[in-house]
């Protein structure tokens, strides 16, 4: 280590959560903040560097709600207040409505439970004509075999993900946050500790520079597990996405559509305004990349701008049933999109109970982007020892390795599609050629 720099706050990870945390801390007046990331900004492997993400408003939480329900309602409430009213976030939220549907009986039951939990009445959809009426003529030309669901006409839609990510970054820089990125200067090789390994002092980057700070916040997404022992609490899991190019005329027809989410099929969101590409995802419990290290089971993420051929097949099945006019069109882009699942799919945001000066903010569990405005607030409240976090929410966010004892790494965690099974990337033999 040939150089030392001292900061109040060091954030590891310049993705969705890292930018949200840096922005909120800078807005609160913290003046010495550095963010490290091994990729240039915006990272091509960041889950948040994406065309769009689904976003939903929530019910007002009640003190009588079960903890899980209370937690998600509160987190969504904090987030949607920002997406709707904060001048930085509001331009990126599109309230287009949301269709929740399924083919299998089990997945449809989840749709029913979703509808029953909504305050507003939802429109039931039981025939192809029902589905087709939710969008302009010519969009949903499929027969929707076996599809059933519900249409939420307001209070949901999507957010322009990469636009919001860039806006958070730009505002944080404007407020004085320093971002250090790149494979040498920004890539963290390890955390730095005191001699007893009881205090985190900062981080060492690949160029041999030691970055010392009063507080270190580890928020490196699916890669966090490679820098710290989370005692099995994180399972890096990958999902799959692709883009379909549309003509200018098609893009105009597909504009302002509700999000169509097939719980056991996949989903699409309206095309972007610039390139006229429509994002597709096939729905499944995820892929993992298992390894055994030091006698422990882990999933190790890797970047790839391709998807398994079986994933493409699922996307094309989804298209044949809903928009067959696009089912054979070549994809213009595809990639693996990694996140980290906690055992209970709640976030892990806490001061480490046994190691000083370390805050972890990880475990997006597939819900990380739509709730990102809340993440900065929650982390800042923890760092500032603010009393603003309700005790029930703070308890749900806590460091909780007891939940990972004898963890079932193949648990689908309530997700459907692809036979309802978590898939092993070691078994993939064919990838798309894009």
């Amino acid at each position: 280590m040939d150089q030392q720099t001292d900061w109040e706050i060091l954030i590891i990870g310049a993705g969705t959560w890292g930018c949200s945390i840096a922005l909120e801390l800078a807005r609160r007046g913290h003046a010495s903040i550095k963010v490290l990331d091994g990729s240039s900004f915006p990272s091509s492997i960041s889950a948040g560097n994406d065309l769009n993400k689904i976003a939903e408003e929530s019910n007002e939480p009640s003190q009588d709600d079960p903890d899980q329900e209370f937690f998600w309602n509160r987190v969504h409430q904090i987030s949607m207040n920002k997406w709707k009213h904060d001048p930085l976030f509001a331009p990126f939220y599109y309230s287009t409505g949301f269709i929740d549907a399924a083919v299998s009986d089990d997945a449809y039951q989840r749709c029913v439970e979703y509808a029953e939990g909504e305050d507003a009445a939802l429109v039931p959809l039981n025939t192809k004509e029902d589905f087709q009426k939710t969008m302009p003529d010519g969009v949903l030309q499929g027969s929707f075999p076996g599809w059933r669901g519900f249409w939420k006409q307001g209070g949901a839609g999507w957010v322009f993900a990469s636009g919001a990510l860039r806006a958070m970054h730009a505002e944080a820089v404007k407020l004085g946050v320093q971002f250090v990125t790149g494979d040498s200067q920004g890539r963290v090789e390890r955390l730095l500790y005191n001699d007893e390994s009881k205090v985190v002092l900062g981080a060492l980057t690949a160029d041999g520079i030691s970055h010392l700070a009063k507080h270190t916040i580890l928020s490196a997404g699916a890669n966090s597990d490679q820098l710290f022992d989370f005692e099995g609490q994180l399972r890096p899991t990958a999902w799959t996405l692709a883009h379909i190019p549309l003509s200018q005329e098609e893009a105009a027809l597909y504009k302002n559509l509700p999000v169509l989410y097939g719980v056991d099929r996949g989903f699409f969101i309206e095309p972007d305004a610039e390139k006229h590409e429509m994002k597709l995802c096939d729905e499944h419990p995820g892929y993992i990349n298992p390894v055994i290290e030091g006698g422990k089971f882990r999933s190790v993420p890797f970047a790839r701008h391709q998807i398994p051929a079986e994933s493409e097949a699922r996307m094309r099945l989804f298209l044949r049933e809903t928009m067959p006019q696009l089912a054979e069109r070549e994809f213009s882009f595809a990639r693996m999109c990694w996140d980290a699942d906690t055992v209970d799919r709640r976030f892990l945001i806490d001061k480490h109970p046994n190691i000083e000066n370390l805050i972890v903010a990880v475990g997006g569990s597939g819900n990380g982007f739509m709730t990102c405005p809340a993440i900065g607030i929650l982390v800042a409240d923890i760092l500032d020892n603010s009393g603003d976090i309700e005790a029930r929410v703070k308890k749900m966010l806590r460091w909780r390795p007891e939940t990972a004892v004898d963890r079932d790494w193949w648990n689908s965690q309530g997700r459907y599609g692809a036979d309802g099974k978590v898939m092993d990337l070691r078994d993939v033999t064919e990838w798309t050629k894009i």
Side-chain angles (χ1 to χ4, degrees):
M1 295 185 293
D2 55 14
Q3 182 178 337
Q4 295 186 346
T5 52
D6 294 310
W7 297 80
E8 180 197 0
I9 299 165
L10 180 67
I11 300 171
I12 300 174
T16 303
W17 283 19
C19 285
S20 176
I21 293 164
L23 173 63
E24 180 64 22
L25 289 172
R27 282 179 162 183
R28 293 191 185 193
H30 292 276
S32 179
I33 304 170
K34 176 183 278 188
V35 184
L36 300 174
D37 197 291
S39 299
S40 59
F41 183 87
S43 169
S44 63
I45 62 172
S46 169
N49 187 15
D50 196 2
L51 283 184
N52 39 50
K53 302 287 188 182
I54 297 172
E56 278 199 271
E57 299 179 27
S58 66
N59 301 326
E60 175 68 30
S62 165
Q63 293 300 324
D64 295 329
D65 290 339
D67 282 346
Q68 187 92 332
E69 182 178 341
F70 181 91
F71 172 82
W72 285 115
N73 280 336
R74 179 63 78 211
V75 171
H76 278 268
Q77 185 182 53
I78 296 169
S79 299
M80 291 311 302
N81 181 60
K82 290 287 187 180
W83 285 119
K84 294 171 70 175
H85 304 298
D86 187 303
L88 186 144
F89 290 99
F92 304 107
Y93 173 52
Y94 297 82
S95 181
T96 58
F98 178 77
I99 296 169
D100 189 56
V103 177
S104 71
D105 290 340
D106 288 347
Y108 176 65
Q109 183 57 39
R110 194 209 67 85
C111 298
V112 172
E113 293 168 0
Y114 165 82
E116 291 174 346
E118 289 293 311
D119 286 342
L122 306 188
V123 178
L125 307 172
N126 295 303
T127 67
K128 72 174 183 180
E129 289 80 14
D130 290 341
F131 282 94
Q132 290 168 349
K133 288 176 183 177
T134 66
M135 300 187 191
D137 289 345
V139 174
L140 300 180
Q141 298 180 24
S143 60
F144 286 84
W147 282 65
R148 296 161 291 169
F150 299 89
W151 181 17
K152 183 178 182 178
Q153 295 174 283
W158 59 277
V159 293
F160 175 27
S162 61
L165 180 63
R166 291 173 186 270
M168 288 190 289
H169 175 268
E171 184 66 12
V173 170
K174 181 179 177 181
L175 293 174
V177 176
Q178 180 179 342
F179 285 79
V180 179
T181 61
D183 190 56
S184 178
Q185 293 180 314
R187 180 167 59 84
V188 172
E189 290 202 329
R190 60 184 175 89
L191 298 182
L192 298 174
Y193 299 84
N194 70 343
D195 291 340
E196 294 79 29
S197 298
K198 295 296 185 181
V199 180
V200 169
L201 304 176
L204 177 71
T205 45
D207 57 0
I209 302 299
S210 129
H211 305 262
L212 303 185
K214 183 179 178 182
H215 303 284
T216 297
I217 300 171
L218 178 54
S219 187
N223 290 310
S224 300
D225 189 48
Q226 299 181 66
L227 295 172
F228 189 73
D229 182 7
F230 282 89
E231 302 180 53
Q233 292 178 86
L234 297 185
R235 181 187 69 184
T237 308
W239 286 271
T240 40
L241 66 87
H243 296 173
I244 283 188
L246 302 179
S247 68
Q248 186 171 347
E249 293 74 22
E250 288 173 325
L253 177 64
Y254 285 68
K255 187 174 176 57
N256 298 323
L257 302 181
V259 174
L260 176 59
Y261 176 54
V263 172
D264 52 356
R265 282 294 190 264
F267 66 89
F268 80 92
I269 301 175
E270 67 174 80
D272 74 300
E274 181 181 351
K275 294 184 178 181
H276 304 146
E277 292 182 326
M278 185 170 67
K279 171 184 163 183
L280 292 172
C281 291
D282 56 319
E283 191 62 25
H284 54 74
Y287 287 91
I288 64 174
N289 181 38
V291 299
I292 304 295
E293 293 182 352
K296 294 182 179 180
F297 187 102
R298 294 182 60 217
S299 172
V300 178
F302 61 86
R304 187 153 187 169
H305 283 75
Q306 292 175 302
I307 57 175
E310 63 193 27
S311 179
E312 177 178 358
R314 288 190 293 266
M315 292 182 190
R316 297 203 182 279
L317 171 63
F318 167 66
L319 287 171
R320 286 196 299 273
E321 293 181 346
T322 61
M323 298 179 290
Q325 69 275 18
L326 301 178
E328 302 307 319
R329 189 168 300 188
E330 292 295 320
F331 293 159
S332 55
F333 176 81
R335 75 169 172 124
M336 307 292 290
C337 185
W338 288 88
D339 200 354
D341 278 326
T342 60
V343 178
D344 47 27
R345 293 186 64 186
R346 295 196 307 271
F347 307 147
L348 175 54
I349 303 174
D350 199 5
K351 290 182 177 179
H352 195 280
N354 302 316
I355 299 176
E356 294 182 33
N357 300 347
L358 175 65
I359 292 175
V360 295
V362 294
S365 302
N367 294 298
F369 200 95
M370 82 169 95
T371 56
C372 74
I375 300 305
I377 292 171
L378 294 170
V379 173
D381 283 351
I382 288 173
L383 179 67
D384 293 339
N385 292 314
S386 167
D388 292 343
I389 301 181
E390 290 158 294
R392 292 178 73 184
V393 173
K394 190 173 183 179
K395 180 181 178 182
M396 303 287 272
L397 294 168
R398 75 190 187 283
W399 180 263
R400 48 192 191 278
E402 69 279 1
T403 64
V405 175
D406 297 324
R407 179 175 189 170
D408 177 4
W409 290 89
W410 304 97
N411 190 322
S412 63
Q413 297 191 290
R415 298 184 176 106
Y416 299 88
D419 298 323
K421 297 177 181 178
V422 173
M423 293 165 284
D424 190 333
L425 283 165
R426 297 173 301 181
D427 296 334
V428 175
T429 58
E430 185 180 357
W431 295 78
T432 56
K433 306 297 190 294
I434 297 175

